[in-house]
Amino acid sequence: VGCDRSKNLVDICGEKHFQAFVCDALSVPIRSGSCDACISIAVIHHFSTAERRLTTIRELARLLRPGGTALIYVWAMEQEYKNQKSKYLKEKNGSKNKEKEMNTGTAQRPLSDQGPDNSSQDSAWSDQLLNGLKDESCGAKPVADFRLPVHTNRTSFHSQDLLVPWHLKGGTKKKEASVDTVLVPGGSKESQELSPVFHRYYHVFCEGELEAACRSLDCVRVQKSYYDQGNWCVILEKL
């Protein structure tokens, strides 16, 4: 059974005859202890505070039966690990579609523009309070004045809390007032049109940060913690 905040993605699952429903990772409408296994891939790094990120892990644990396992993947601050670049960095000069993910500059946006995950509290500071981890441990810069840097796609991260540009293909859908627009490079007619650019919030995890959050819960134990192609990963077991 799958779940997602996006109704469109859930509808695609239905078309493929998979079981899926719309819900929030902070409160999943499934009975406690009813799942043999749970998978959370590229979800938790979209929550803007350490408290919310921990709540999603606790919610995964609640769903598991005793002895059940959960796999969690989050985006890593360290995109170059043990002298090896991640696939994300290596694809910088890849396909033509990847080239459209251009540098949108170093502009900053207020945290209040993030949408449902916004918070008046600096998430880097709340991380330190919750996990005893310091941003300086992985070279991250603390967020200042509640403004977030806009990340340059296919480059290393310089902040744990940032906005990542996402370009709407074709630019044919209705533009929202809060959405930036940029010229798509190239010589075609389509490239001359303005294309909407969405900015999606991410908190990228330092080494040990996800594992420390998991270990703070007494209802699970960490079976394995590892790095995989620019992601920090943990396998949990419900006690």
Side-chain angles (χ1 to χ4, degrees):
V1 178
C3 56
D4 199 279
R5 282 293 296 270
S6 168
K7 181 181 182 299
N8 289 341
L9 291 178
V10 169
D11 288 343
I12 292 173
C13 291
E15 292 168 3
K16 296 179 180 292
H17 307 293
F18 295 124
Q19 297 185 70
F21 59 92
V22 176
C23 83
D24 191 320
L26 292 169
S27 181
V28 180
I30 294 179
R31 187 177 69 251
S32 299
S34 61
C35 298
D36 295 314
C38 293
I39 299 174
S40 175
I41 306 293
V43 173
I44 296 176
H45 56 216
H46 289 300
F47 288 97
S48 61
T49 67
E51 289 79 9
R52 287 188 179 194
R53 294 190 285 271
L54 183 61
T55 297
T56 60
I57 299 171
R58 185 182 290 111
E59 185 70 350
L60 283 174
R62 180 188 68 79
L63 300 174
L64 292 172
R65 63 166 176 76
T69 55
L71 172 65
I72 302 172
Y73 265 62
V74 295
W75 214 353
M77 177 82 178
E78 301 85 354
Q79 288 299 303
E80 189 165 345
Y81 187 68
K82 294 183 178 179
N83 297 320
Q84 293 289 325
K85 289 185 177 181
S86 69
K87 185 179 179 181
Y88 175 72
L89 294 183
K90 289 179 180 178
E91 288 183 348
K92 182 176 182 180
N93 296 315
S95 67
K96 184 177 180 181
N97 287 335
K98 295 294 189 301
E99 288 297 327
K100 289 186 179 181
E101 296 177 333
M102 71 194 77
N103 179 2
T104 59
T106 56
Q108 294 186 332
R109 279 175 160 244
L111 191 62
S112 58
D113 286 352
Q114 289 175 19
D117 286 342
N118 66 345
S119 170
S120 62
Q121 182 181 20
D122 183 343
S123 63
W125 294 339
S126 59
D127 277 345
Q128 292 177 18
L129 292 173
L130 182 68
N131 300 324
L133 296 170
K134 295 182 179 180
D135 290 334
E136 290 78 5
S137 64
C138 63
K141 297 178 181 178
V143 178
D145 301 325
F146 308 113
R147 296 175 69 84
L148 296 175
V150 176
H151 176 62
T152 300
N153 284 300
R154 308 292 163 182
T155 64
S156 298
F157 297 115
H158 302 291
S159 173
Q160 276 193 274
D161 297 274
L162 41 82
L163 299 174
V164 176
W166 184 81
H167 296 251
L168 186 64
K169 292 182 179 179
T172 56
K173 292 185 179 180
K174 183 179 179 181
K175 298 181 180 69
E176 297 179 9
S178 62
V179 176
D180 292 345
T181 56
V182 297
L183 282 171
V184 178
S188 66
K189 181 179 179 181
E190 179 182 342
S191 70
Q192 303 302 317
E193 299 175 358
L194 287 174
S195 178
V197 181
F198 295 86
H199 291 88
R200 196 175 189 189
Y201 171 83
Y202 282 82
H203 171 86
V204 291
F205 282 67
C206 287
E207 182 173 7
E209 182 179 354
L210 175 62
E211 182 177 353
C214 294
R215 291 189 185 281
S216 71
L217 301 178
D218 57 11
C219 58
V220 296
R221 75 176 183 90
V222 176
Q223 279 190 347
K224 187 178 181 181
S225 178
Y226 60 98
Y227 180 89
D228 180 25
Q229 283 296 331
N231 300 280
W232 287 115
C233 321
V234 165
I235 298 177
L236 302 176
E237 180 183 359
K238 178 73 171 288
L239 299 177

